[in-house]
């Protein structure tokens, strides 16, 4: 077994143990449509996260804790998988609600794709 292969196996096992990787359902933003995502974002997200994703929407500024700022250093560190999980399941101890079941899987992917453009 080569060292690179052993490292790959060890890394995969570590990620699975930590629950950061599951081969179950994450088709990430590569399949999302940013134009459609912008429309979903405008309807459902802009009031809290603001038009540029800075967490400065009219409602977002009043929340405790404030709405997430996708352009911040912390926001940019979140992986696509982490963001999708937050969009789908919400964020404990915040006002971020779960959107799975309210939005289709396609809309979830679309809004994720759009949110990723706001981080640039």
């Amino acid at each position: 077994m080569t060292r690179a292969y052993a490292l790959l196996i060890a890394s995969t096992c570590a990620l699975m143990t930590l629950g950061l990787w599951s081969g179950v359902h994450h088709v990430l933003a590569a399949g999302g449509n940013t134009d459609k995502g912008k429309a979903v974002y405008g309807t459902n997200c802009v009031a809290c996260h603001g038009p540029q994703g800075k967490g400065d929407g009219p409602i977002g500024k009043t929340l405790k804790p404030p709405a997430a700022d996708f352009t911040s250093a912390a926001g940019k560190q979140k992986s696509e998988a982490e963001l999708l999980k937050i969009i789908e399941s919400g964020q404990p101890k915040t006002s971020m609600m779960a959107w799975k079941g309210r939005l289709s899987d396609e809309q979830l992917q679309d809004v994720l794709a759009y949110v990723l453009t706001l981080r640039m």
Side-chain angles (χ1 to χ4, degrees), residues 4-93:
Y5 183 72
L7 183 59
L8 175 64
I9 297 296
S11 298
T12 301
C13 290
L15 289 171
M16 289 174 73
T17 300
L18 294 171
L20 299 175
W21 180 70
S22 80
V24 178
H25 85 283
H26 288 296
V27 176
L28 298 179
N33 179 307
T34 56
D35 291 333
K36 290 180 181 178
K38 184 176 183 176
V40 172
Y41 182 91
T43 300
N44 299 293
C45 313
V46 77
C48 293
H49 295 287
Q52 281 81 44
K54 296 178 185 266
D56 60 352
I59 295 172
K61 293 184 281 189
T62 67
L63 299 174
K64 301 284 185 229
D69 177 354
F70 306 127
T71 67
S72 70
K76 290 179 180 181
Q77 288 179 349
K78 290 193 182 344
S79 70
E80 290 181 26
E82 289 173 299
L83 288 171
L84 181 58
K85 183 177 179 184
I86 292 168
I87 294 166
E88 289 178 338
S89 304
Q91 185 78 331
K93 300 182 182 178

